[in-house]
Amino acid sequence: MSNHTTLNSPNSRQVETSQAQRTHSKALAALFEPLQVGALTLKNRIIMGSMHTGLEESPQGFERLAVFYEERARHQVGLIITGGIAPNSEGRVVAGACAMITADDAREHQLVTDAVHNAGGRICMQILHAGRYAYSPELVAPSAIQSPITPFEPKALSAGQIEQQLNDFVRCATLAQQAGYDGVEVMGPEGYFINQFLVEHTNKRDDEWGGDFAGRSRFALEVVRRIRKAVGSDFLIIFRISVVDLIGKGSTFAQTSELAVGLEAAGVDILNTGIGWHEARIPTIATSVPRGAFSWATRKLKQVVSCPVVACNRINTPEVAAQIIRDGAADLVSMARPFLADPEFVSKAMAGQSIHINTCIGCNQACLDHTFAGKLTSCLVNPLACHETEILITKAVRPLRVAIVGAGPAGLAAARVAALCGHKVELFEASKEIGGQFNFAKRVPGKEEFYETLRFFEHELARLEVKIHLQKRASIVDLKAFDSVILASGVKPRWPNIKGIDHSMVVGYQEVYQGAEVGKRVAIIGAGGIGFDTAEYLNHAPSDTGTTEVSAYIKEWGIDTSLERPGGLQTQAVKPASAARQIYLLQRKTSKLGAGLGKTTGWIHRLNLHKRGVTMLGGVSYQRIDDDGLHVEVEGQYQCLAVDTVVICSGQESVNELGPELAACGKPFTVIGGAQVATEIDAKRAISEGFKAAIALDSA
C-alpha cells in the first residue's frame, strides 16, 4: 500500500499503539462535549445532516427509515435531521414526495422517532419547501421566475396565498411535534422557497413581502415567529441559513447577519449553515472541494449571534470536524454523506478507532446522483446504506475456504464481507498493491479521497485476518484447494483499430499513471470517465495536487471571502488555471463529451478542463498515427493534431481467463466487477457486486 498521507487523516500505514490512540482521542475531545440547546442536552457536537434517501416514498419506507436512523443513533450521533419533508403539496420537490400535512402523516413518522429515541438519540424533522425548484407544474414562488434546473414556470403568490403558505409551515411543525420529533429544521438556503424570498435574483415583489431587504426577509422571520408561538419553548427550532449564495444578486454578509440576528430574536435555537444554490456554477460538496472549505464563512456567522452555529460541507473525518470546533469556527458540525459511508462513524471516533472509519469520498455517485434520478439513495463505498433490511451480513452456517482473485474494488469488498460472514478468505493480487483502478483514480488531482477507501480496506482486511498474496497471479492449481472462488480479476485496456497504433508515441492510460513519459502536446482517445480523469491528471504539473488547499480553491473559483459582494462572488472573471500541457480530449460519438459522467459532478469535470484549455472534440474519425501526430476527421474536415503523445482511454476488456478452467474442473465460482462486465467501469457496481457475492457464499 502507498504511504500517502491524506489531508487531516492518519497515515495509511500507521499502526496505532495505545498511546497513539489516547493522543488521537484527546485531539477529538472537543467533538464529544455535550451542549445544552434550549430544553435539550445534545450528547456531542455531531449532527447527522439532512439528506433525502428515497425511503420516504418507498413501500414500507418508514419501517426501513426507522432501521436506518436507529443504527446511526445507536452509534452515538448527537442529533439526526431527516430528509426534507414538504409542508404542503405545492412545496414537494417532486410530485408524490413526502409531505407532513395530516395527522395520518404524523403517525407514520412515529415509527422513526420511537426507534431513534429508544436508541438514545435525538431527531429533528426538516421542513423543506422547494418553491421554484419543484419539479412539478404546481410550483409556486415569490415571483414568476423560472429556475434553470426545472422546466416549469412558477406561479407568483398573492399576499393572501403567502399567508396560507405560512400557515402550512406552522401546521407542518406542529404535526412534527405530534409525531414525536425533538424539533424541526426550517430549510432556508440553497435556492429553495425561503431563500427565493430573500434575494433580488428571485424576488421582484413590491409589496410587504419584497422590495428592500426588510421586506424580502419578512417571510423567513414570520415562519420562525409563528412556529415558535405554536410549538412552545421546549421544541427545538433550527434554521438553515444561506451564508454564501454563490449566485449573482445574492445576499451580502451584512444582509445575512441582519437576518441571523432577527432569526435568533424570533426564536431560533440553532443556526445551521447552507452554501450555494443548486443553480450556482461553483462546486461545493464534490470530492474536488477541499475538506472544511467553508468553515471560514461559518466563523463569520458565529461572530454575530449568540445561539449555536453549525458548520457543514465537505467535512468527512473526525479530525476535520474536531479542528473546526477547536478553532472556534462553529459550535456543532453537520455531516450527512459520511453517515451513509459508515453508520459507526461517531462510535469509532470515540473509541480512538478513526483509522477504521469507512470515509465518504464525496463522489455523489450513489447518493445525490441517485436522488436526482429518482432512485433510492445508497453509498458507493457502503452499499448497505438505505438497504439495511434487504442486504444482511450474517455469520455463515457453513464457513468456507474462499479464494478471491483480484484486489480491486470488487475483490476488496468481497474479501471484507466474506470475512465478516466468518469465511476463511485468501486474496490474490497480481500487482504489488491492493486497489486496482482506484490506484489510478487516487492520483488524479481532486480525487485524493480514494486513498481513504484503500486505507479502510487495508486495515479492515488486516483486522479480519484476510490472507493477502501480492504479486501473485493465481492459477487453477492455487484455486483447487478452496471451497469457492470469486473472480474479481478486473479489466485491461481495449486498444482501438487505428493505423499506426503501435507507434512509439502511443501509450495506454495505465502506463501514464505508472510513470510513462508524456510529451507537452497530448491527444487522449476516449472521453469517458477514465479519459476525463487522465486529462485532469496530465493537465497538472507533477508538483501540483489540484485545489486541495482551501485558499487555492477559493482563488480558482472566484469566491469573495469578505462576502461584501452579492452572493459572495468576485466581480472579475475567474482566470483559467495554468495548464501543464496542450491536450485534446477526443471521442467517436457526436454526443456531449462526458455525457456518462455523474449527474451532479459531470459539469464540474467539463468546466475544470475547459478552464485549463483542454480542447474537447466529438464525432472524431481516427485516420492514422505517424511521426506528424494523430490524423483525424472531424465533421468531415481533415486535420492533423501535431501531438507528442497519444493516450488510449477507449474502453476496457474483461480479464477472466480462469473462468473456463474453473468451470471445467467443477469448482464453484462467481464472476464480479469488471471481470464480468468491462464497459464503463463502475466502482459503485463493483463494490455492490462484491457485497452480494460474499453474502451469497452461504447459499452456494
Side-chain angles (χ1 to χ4, degrees):
M1 285 292 293
S2 167
N3 62 1
H4 178 96
T5 303
T6 55
L7 181 66
N8 292 320
S9 65
N11 186 290
S12 64
R13 292 189 62 86
Q14 179 179 352
V15 179
E16 292 193 1
T17 63
S18 297
Q19 178 60 44
Q21 288 179 351
R22 285 194 293 271
T23 302
H24 185 242
S25 297
K26 186 177 180 180
L28 301 183
L31 273 183
F32 308 124
E33 295 174 359
L35 180 67
Q36 184 71 31
V37 183
L40 293 182
T41 299
L42 302 182
K43 66 177 71 173
N44 56 52
R45 306 304 180 95
I46 301 173
I47 292 176
M48 177 180 168
S50 174
M51 53 187 161
H52 190 77
T53 66
L55 290 171
E56 296 86 352
E57 296 83 23
S58 299
Q60 290 80 50
F62 282 93
E63 290 90 339
R64 296 170 66 182
L65 269 176
V67 175
F68 173 75
Y69 286 129
E70 183 275 334
E71 185 174 13
R72 278 77 186 165
R74 181 163 48 85
H75 284 287
Q76 305 304 313
V77 174
L79 176 66
I80 293 169
I81 300 175
T82 71
I85 307 297
N88 50 34
S89 179
E90 59 269 31
R92 301 175 198 260
V93 175
V94 296
C98 191
M100 180 71 88
I101 300 173
T102 69
D104 286 342
D105 295 331
R107 279 190 287 273
E108 281 194 300
H109 284 252
Q110 284 181 318
L111 289 169
V112 172
T113 57
D114 286 348
V116 170
H117 291 150
N118 289 339
R122 299 287 191 179
I123 185 167
C124 293
M125 189 190 84
Q126 186 186 82
I127 305 175
L128 186 153
H129 190 305
R132 74 197 273 266
Y133 277 172
Y135 204 87
S136 162
E138 292 186 51
L139 74 174
V140 297
S143 301
I145 301 172
Q146 185 175 341
S147 94
I149 63 174
T150 62
F152 307 104
E153 181 177 307
K155 177 185 177 182
L157 293 162
S158 68
Q161 290 170 330
I162 289 175
E163 283 291 334
Q164 183 57 55
Q165 296 294 320
L166 287 167
N167 292 338
D168 292 346
F169 270 87
V170 173
R171 178 188 62 201
C172 185
T174 56
L175 286 170
Q177 189 175 37
Q178 292 175 29
Y181 285 104
D182 297 294
V184 291
E185 177 177 82
V186 178
M187 185 64 170
E190 296 177 21
Y192 289 113
F193 187 59
I194 294 176
N195 216 172
Q196 292 159 25
F197 273 93
L198 289 167
V199 303
E200 293 182 44
H201 179 62
T202 47
N203 187 342
K204 306 297 183 182
R205 305 179 70 94
D206 57 7
D207 61 3
E208 66 270 33
W209 303 103
D212 60 12
F213 188 72
R216 298 199 307 273
S217 62
R218 184 183 172 200
F219 187 86
L221 295 171
E222 281 299 307
V223 167
V224 173
R225 288 191 192 107
R226 297 187 190 193
I227 289 177
R228 176 55 74 200
K229 183 178 179 180
V231 299
S233 59
D234 291 345
F235 194 63
L236 201 64
I237 300 179
I238 305 168
F239 190 94
R240 195 160 184 198
I241 186 171
S242 185
V243 185
V244 191
D245 288 333
L246 300 178
I247 58 164
K249 296 184 179 180
S251 296
T252 63
F253 187 69
Q255 293 170 334
T256 301
S257 298
E258 180 183 333
L259 175 63
V261 171
L263 289 168
E264 185 174 15
V268 161
D269 295 298
I270 297 174
L271 281 172
N272 196 357
T273 53
I275 307 295
W277 285 40
H278 285 305
E279 61 202 75
R281 302 306 288 173
I282 295 176
T284 58
I285 58 173
T287 187
S288 58
V289 178
R291 296 177 179 178
F294 289 95
S295 61
W296 57 270
T298 309
R299 183 194 300 275
K300 289 174 72 72
L301 182 67
K302 183 171 163 53
Q303 292 168 353
V304 301
V305 293
S306 58
C307 66
V309 173
V310 185
C312 66
N313 281 51
R314 280 293 286 133
I315 302 167
N316 66 341
T317 71
E319 294 77 21
V320 174
Q323 188 70 50
I324 289 170
I325 300 295
R326 288 200 309 271
D327 288 348
D331 303 285
L332 297 135
V333 171
S334 175
M335 294 174 276
R337 295 171 298 167
F339 289 102
L340 291 174
D342 197 333
E344 300 178 28
F345 183 102
V346 181
S347 59
K348 287 178 180 178
M350 292 177 69
Q353 295 293 319
S354 294
I355 200 75
H356 291 291
I357 290 174
N358 195 1
T359 303
C360 167
I361 60 175
C363 68
N364 293 356
Q365 291 182 39
C367 50
L368 290 177
D369 284 356
H370 277 208
T371 297
F372 285 103
K375 300 178 182 178
L376 195 66
T377 291
S378 191
C379 179
L380 181 146
V381 300
N382 178 28
L384 290 181
C386 298
H387 295 277
E388 290 84 0
T389 61
E390 298 177 325
I391 305 174
L392 303 176
I393 298 176
T394 57
K395 287 296 181 182
V397 175
R398 185 173 63 92
L400 305 173
R401 284 197 67 202
V402 179
I404 297 173
V405 180
L412 291 171
R416 173 176 174 262
V417 175
L420 285 171
C421 291
H423 300 295
K424 186 174 182 180
V425 181
E426 295 190 32
L427 180 60
F428 294 84
E429 170 55 46
S431 68
K432 63 182 179 181
E433 59 183 347
I434 65 171
Q437 297 286 320
F438 276 10
N439 286 314
F440 305 137
K442 71 186 182 184
R443 299 184 62 191
V444 177
K447 286 195 170 184
E448 294 88 352
E449 293 288 8
F450 282 96
Y451 279 101
E452 296 289 5
T453 305
L454 296 179
R455 179 266 308 153
F456 170 74
F457 276 119
E458 180 185 26
H459 285 273
E460 277 290 277
L461 298 188
R463 180 180 70 85
L464 295 167
E465 299 182 345
V466 172
K467 187 174 183 179
I468 302 175
H469 305 274
L470 295 177
Q471 296 181 289
K472 171 66 175 176
R473 190 173 297 277
S475 69
I476 192 67
V477 175
D478 297 316
L479 302 179
K480 281 185 177 180
F482 292 89
D483 299 311
S484 191
V485 177
I486 295 176
L487 291 179
S489 39
V491 297
K492 61 183 179 182
R494 182 178 67 235
W495 285 64
N497 184 19
I498 301 172
K499 186 178 179 181
I501 194 71
D502 57 351
H503 194 282
S504 60
M505 73 168 64
V506 180
V507 296
Y509 71 88
Q510 293 182 335
E511 298 169 81
V512 170
Y513 291 102
Q514 291 163 353
E517 185 175 345
V518 178
K520 289 293 184 180
R521 297 169 300 171
V522 180
I524 298 174
I525 294 178
I530 291 175
F532 268 80
D533 279 354
T534 303
E536 190 75 53
Y537 176 72
L538 291 174
N539 228 320
H540 289 74
S543 60
D544 182 3
T545 59
T547 56
T548 55
E549 295 296 330
V550 173
S551 58
Y553 161 79
I554 288 169
K555 180 179 179 182
E556 179 163 347
W557 290 98
I559 299 171
D560 170 30
T561 55
S562 74
L563 300 182
E564 294 176 358
R565 298 182 177 91
L569 297 176
Q570 296 283 1
T571 54
Q572 70 271 25
V574 179
K575 294 181 180 179
S578 58
R581 293 177 171 87
Q582 177 188 0
I583 295 178
Y584 298 91
L585 183 58
L586 313 170
Q587 70 175 24
R588 294 185 191 271
K589 298 176 184 177
T590 56
S591 56
K592 178 174 66 177
L593 271 72
L597 299 176
K599 186 175 181 65
T600 60
T601 55
W603 68 271
I604 302 171
H605 298 305
R606 283 187 289 270
L607 186 54
N608 262 335
L609 295 187
H610 175 74
K611 288 196 303 177
R612 289 179 172 270
V614 172
T615 300
M616 292 180 264
L617 298 174
V620 177
S621 174
Y622 306 107
Q623 304 299 307
R624 68 183 185 278
I625 301 167
D626 59 25
D627 291 345
D628 294 327
L630 174 61
H631 300 260
V632 299
E633 199 173 280
V634 183
E635 297 182 350
Q637 298 295 313
Y638 164 83
Q639 58 181 298
C640 177
L641 306 180
V643 297
D644 310 307
T645 306
V646 176
V647 181
I648 305 301
C649 300
S650 57
Q652 299 79 32
E653 297 175 351
S654 294
V655 175
N656 185 16
E657 293 91 346
L658 287 169
E661 295 183 68
L662 288 167
C665 68
K667 180 66 64 179
F669 72 99
T670 305
V671 185
I672 62 173
Q676 182 184 42
V677 179
T679 55
E680 296 297 328
I681 292 176
D682 186 347
K684 178 181 68 174
R685 173 175 61 82
I687 291 176
S688 178
E689 288 180 2
F691 267 68
K692 293 174 182 177
I695 291 169
L697 286 169
D698 202 30
S699 59

